[in-house]
């Protein structure tokens, strides 16, 4: 850098951007800061070299990515994910700088958000963690904005998150250059798009509220103090855990709960004791006239382990078993600490309750949009999700499931141990949430509306990706046209 003032400006901008990223992403959730975070980088890119711009972008993303620090011990590979995301985001910044230098038109404002949202989608297809790193989840409290997920999935929210900051950056750039015409154009289009987005969100919520929804009373409970028994593979241990959870049912059923949901992997059940344990649950379902859903670690006669959910109807029948599809690295697949590997499930499971169809998924399954599309096609109105969190990530992980509900048009009922018992409707509004306790039983009762299971995104899952891909393609054509344009021959 040429002089001391350049270095000071660089450091100030890096601190502003990285601090905004740090406190708005990962385990921090001051969501409005994410709208500010990229602006210093974009503005800096207009007036400085590619090298300096890349260093500023990369260092800001890296420092901001430290917001995931609580996962570093449990999932060391997340450090490499942060490096990967920082690299790709920095490359996109460089591409934006290059395109703006070549075209220098106000309508390049659509390029960065298209790149970012398309990158998030492509990354989710190959990542073992699905959509977990999407920036859209930070906006959980912005109810009018997140309704966009019902049309575009979470990627439309990411689009807006980069569209507005880049438009503001170019507006400031034209303001510095005193280019009033482009200032007006850059100002008008983002405002119109934001107004349309907000109006859509408002109208969707109003329309959903105007419909008459059937409500079901859901009961959940968690006994985190029994988690140490969950991996013990013997009948005595399994019976102790199951009997304890059955003892929690009367408290829930007397308050009107018709469906009882317990957490993921509350005990280990092998094929030898399966009939004895299932009879306990069957008898409880009949006695209290409730449907019981619970998560277990299941071992079949071939010594194959599954992470399963059992569903017992109110007449005591084990009506279905669901096996978790997407497994947790280090703890269920590619395991460490001598933990047995889990075999993933292959089928989606629904069950009927009164006149509605309900679906089942387990914890990490909800990080993947495959769940959205599968259960929307099956016309599921409510998703029941046994889960197991790490205490520190109860809200971070729980909010992801809420977005699947917006995308698919269903309510979500999520019961983790070491997390937050939570229910949300298809608009992503939290009906109730209760943090579990490590020392005592935690109870949860709520009326949950049945969803519509009908969204544009669930029916046309590639629509928005086609839109962003087309924008990028059109910019490529525009660049080639501008770059290779030949002046007319003179007579």
């Amino acid at each position: 850098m040429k002089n001391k003032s350049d270095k000071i400006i660089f450091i100030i901008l890096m601190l502003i951007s990285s601090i905004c990223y740090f406190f708005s992403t990962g385990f921090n959730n001051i969501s409005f800061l994410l709208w500010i975070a990229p602006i210093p980088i974009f503005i800096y890119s207009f007036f400085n070299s590619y090298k300096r711009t890349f260093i500023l972008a990369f260092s800001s993303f890296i420092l901001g990515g430290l917001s995931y620090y609580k996962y570093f011990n449990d999932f060391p590979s997340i450090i490499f994910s942060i490096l990967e995301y920082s690299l790709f985001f920095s490359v996109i910044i460089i591409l934006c700088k290059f395109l703006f230098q070549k075209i220098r038109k106000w309508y390049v404002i659509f390029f960065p958000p298209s790149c970012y949202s398309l990158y998030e989608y492509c990354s989710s297809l190959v990542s073992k963690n699905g959509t977990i790193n999407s920036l859209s989840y930070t906006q959980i409290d912005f109810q009018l904005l997140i309704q966009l997920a019902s049309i575009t999935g979470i990627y439309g929210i990411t689009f807006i998150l980069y569209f507005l900051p880049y438009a503001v950056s170019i507006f400031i750039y034209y303001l510095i250059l005193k280019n009033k015409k482009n200032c007006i154009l850059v100002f008008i289009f983002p405002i119109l798009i934001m107004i349309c987005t907000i109006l859509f969100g408002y109208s969707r919520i109003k329309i959903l509220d105007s419909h008459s929804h059937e409500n079901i009373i859901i009961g959940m409970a968690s006994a985190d103090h029994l988690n140490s028994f969950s991996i013990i593979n013997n009948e005595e241990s399994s019976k102790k855990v199951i009997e304890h959870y059955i003892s929690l049912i009367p408290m829930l059923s007397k308050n009107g709960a018709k469906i009882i949901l317990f957490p993921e992997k509350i005990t280990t059940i092998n094929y030898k004791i399966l009939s004895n344990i299932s009879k306990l649950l069957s008898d409880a379902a009949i006695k209290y006239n409730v449907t019981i859903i619970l998560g277990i670690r299941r071992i079949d006669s071939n010594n194959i382990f599954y992470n399963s959910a059992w569903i017992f109807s109110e007449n005591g029948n084990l009506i279905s078993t669901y096996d978790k599809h997407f497994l947790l690295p280090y703890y269920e697949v590619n395991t460490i600490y001598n933990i047995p590997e889990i075999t993933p499930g292959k089928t989606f499971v629904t069950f009927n309750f009164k006149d509605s169809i309900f679906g089942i998924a387990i914890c990490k399954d909800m990080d993947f949009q495959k769940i959205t599309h599968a259960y929307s096609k099956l016309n599921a109105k409510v998703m029941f999700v046994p889960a197991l969190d790490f205490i520190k990530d109860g809200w971070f992980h729980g909010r992801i499931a809420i977005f699947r509900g917006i995308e698919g048009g269903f309510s979500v009922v999520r019961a983790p141990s070491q997390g937050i018992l939570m229910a949300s409707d298809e608009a992503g509004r939290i009906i109730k949430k209760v943090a579990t306790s490590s020392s005592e039983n935690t109870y949860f009762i709520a009326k949950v509306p049945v969803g519509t299971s009908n969204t544009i995104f669930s029916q046309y899952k590639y629509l928005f990706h086609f839109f962003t891909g087309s924008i990028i393609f059109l910019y490529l054509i525009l660049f080639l046209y501008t770059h290779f344009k030949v002046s007319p021959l003179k007579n």
Side-chain angles (χ1 to χ4, degrees):
M1 296 182 185
K2 293 181 180 179
N3 52 55
K4 188 176 180 180
S5 62
D6 286 348
K7 292 180 181 178
I8 292 172
I9 291 171
F10 181 92
I11 291 171
I12 290 172
L13 294 179
M14 181 182 68
L15 287 173
I16 292 171
S17 187
S18 58
I19 287 171
C20 286
Y21 274 119
F22 181 85
F23 285 104
S24 61
T25 60
F27 291 95
N28 304 311
N29 199 37
I30 308 177
S31 57
F32 76 90
L33 291 178
L34 190 57
W35 299 80
I36 301 169
I39 294 176
I41 303 172
F42 284 133
I43 293 175
Y44 187 85
S45 72
F46 299 142
F47 302 101
N48 290 274
S49 68
Y50 288 102
K51 180 180 178 181
R52 292 183 190 177
T53 299
F54 181 85
I55 293 171
L56 176 64
F58 190 72
S59 56
S60 297
F61 285 130
I62 285 287
L63 292 173
L66 296 177
S67 60
Y68 290 89
Y69 67 95
K70 291 182 181 179
Y71 267 157
F72 287 172
N73 287 332
D74 297 311
F75 304 101
S77 63
I78 199 167
I79 297 172
F80 297 102
S81 295
I82 292 170
L83 288 170
E84 175 197 331
Y85 272 72
S86 300
L87 177 62
F88 275 95
F89 282 178
S90 301
V91 168
I92 291 172
I93 294 281
I94 293 300
L95 289 174
C96 295
K97 173 179 172 60
F98 176 78
L99 187 68
F100 187 68
Q101 278 190 339
K102 296 299 179 182
I103 299 178
R104 292 201 177 274
K105 299 292 184 181
W106 66 269
Y107 44 76
V108 297
I109 56 176
F110 296 99
F111 181 71
S114 297
C115 289
Y116 281 111
S117 57
L118 195 59
Y119 167 70
E120 272 196 358
Y121 168 65
C122 293
S123 177
S124 73
L125 296 179
V126 297
S127 172
K128 294 178 181 178
N129 296 311
T131 65
I132 196 170
N133 290 315
S134 174
L135 296 176
S136 61
Y137 298 128
T138 63
Q139 304 303 303
I140 183 68
D141 295 322
F142 196 165
Q143 280 293 315
L144 298 181
L145 172 65
I146 64 176
Q147 302 310 311
L148 191 60
S150 66
I151 298 178
T152 65
I154 55 174
Y155 307 109
I157 301 168
T158 301
F159 183 95
I160 296 293
L161 279 171
Y162 275 96
F163 175 70
L164 199 61
Y166 192 60
V168 169
S169 303
I170 292 184
F171 177 81
I172 293 171
Y173 171 77
Y174 282 132
L175 207 60
I176 293 170
L177 296 183
K178 298 180 180 180
N179 187 328
K180 293 183 180 179
K181 180 183 176 182
N182 281 331
C183 270
I184 293 170
L185 290 170
V186 171
F187 178 79
I188 289 175
F189 275 87
I191 293 299
L192 287 175
I193 288 174
M194 282 305 297
I195 289 173
C196 291
T197 301
I198 299 303
L199 286 176
F200 168 75
Y202 178 80
S203 62
R204 181 174 190 260
I205 290 173
K206 284 293 182 183
I207 290 169
L208 290 176
D209 286 344
S210 68
H211 292 164
S212 58
H213 293 272
E214 178 190 356
N215 289 305
I216 53 170
I217 302 178
I218 302 297
M220 291 189 278
S222 180
D224 291 4
H225 56 283
L226 295 179
N227 283 355
S228 59
F229 292 94
S230 66
I231 60 173
I232 300 175
N233 180 16
N234 65 52
E235 186 169 5
E236 182 184 356
S237 173
S238 298
K239 189 176 179 181
K240 177 179 180 179
V241 172
I242 294 299
E243 286 180 342
H244 181 85
Y245 271 95
I246 288 174
S247 73
L248 307 181
I249 295 176
M251 174 70 77
L252 301 170
S253 64
K254 76 178 182 181
N255 284 287
K258 294 301 180 184
I259 299 180
I260 308 295
L261 178 64
F262 293 137
E264 172 189 10
K265 289 190 288 194
I266 62 172
T267 188
T268 298
I269 298 175
N270 64 57
Y271 72 99
K272 294 178 181 178
I273 64 172
L274 187 147
S275 59
N276 293 339
I277 299 299
S278 63
K279 188 177 187 310
L280 292 174
L281 291 160
S282 176
D283 291 345
I286 295 170
K287 180 178 180 180
Y288 298 108
N289 193 32
V290 292
T291 296
I292 302 173
I293 304 167
L294 74 159
I296 60 169
R297 184 184 283 105
R298 181 172 63 89
I299 310 171
D300 70 8
S301 58
N302 295 314
N303 203 38
I304 296 174
F305 285 69
Y306 296 91
N307 184 343
S308 303
W310 273 350
I311 305 107
F312 288 85
S313 66
E314 62 271 18
N315 59 15
N317 293 328
L318 175 56
I319 54 177
S320 198
T321 299
Y322 171 84
D323 296 321
K324 186 177 182 182
H325 285 219
F326 299 99
L327 305 177
L328 187 64
Y330 306 129
Y331 295 90
E332 294 177 328
V333 64
N334 300 323
T335 56
I336 54 177
Y337 312 124
N338 295 318
I339 301 173
E341 293 246 345
I342 301 291
T343 299
K346 297 180 181 179
T347 59
F348 298 101
V349 170
T350 61
F351 66 97
N352 295 321
F353 185 85
K354 295 184 178 179
D355 297 325
S356 298
I357 298 172
F358 297 155
I360 301 289
I362 297 176
C363 199
K364 191 175 177 62
D365 287 340
M366 297 298 278
D367 296 348
F368 294 80
Q369 288 177 321
K370 185 177 181 180
I371 295 295
T372 299
H373 302 299
Y375 281 107
S376 289
K377 283 184 179 179
L378 292 170
N379 204 31
K381 308 293 187 181
V382 180
M383 286 297 297
F384 290 87
V385 187
L388 172 59
D389 292 330
F390 288 83
I391 302 174
K392 55 198 169 191
D393 67 343
W395 174 239
F396 172 81
H397 205 207
R399 67 185 182 181
I400 296 175
I402 294 172
F403 279 81
R404 296 292 86 79
I406 304 171
E407 291 174 336
F410 42 72
S411 296
V412 176
V413 181
R414 187 175 187 270
S417 58
Q418 303 182 158
I420 300 173
L421 304 173
M422 189 159 47
S424 61
D425 67 8
E426 62 180 302
R429 292 173 295 189
I430 297 171
I431 299 163
K432 185 178 178 181
K433 61 178 180 178
V434 179
T436 63
S437 168
S438 61
S439 59
E440 58 185 12
N441 302 322
T442 307
Y443 296 93
F444 177 105
I445 293 279
K447 278 187 178 181
V448 178
V450 172
T452 60
S453 191
N454 182 28
T455 65
I456 292 174
F457 179 69
S458 65
Q459 296 179 49
Y460 306 101
K461 61 181 179 180
Y462 299 118
L463 182 63
F464 188 70
H465 309 312
F466 177 78
F467 168 73
T468 53
S470 298
I471 287 177
I472 294 170
F473 179 74
L474 288 173
Y475 277 121
L476 176 61
I477 297 298
L478 182 61
F479 163 71
L480 293 174
Y481 173 76
T482 305
H483 187 70
F484 295 107
K485 184 171 63 176
V486 180
S487 301
L489 292 174
K490 294 182 179 180
N491 292 327

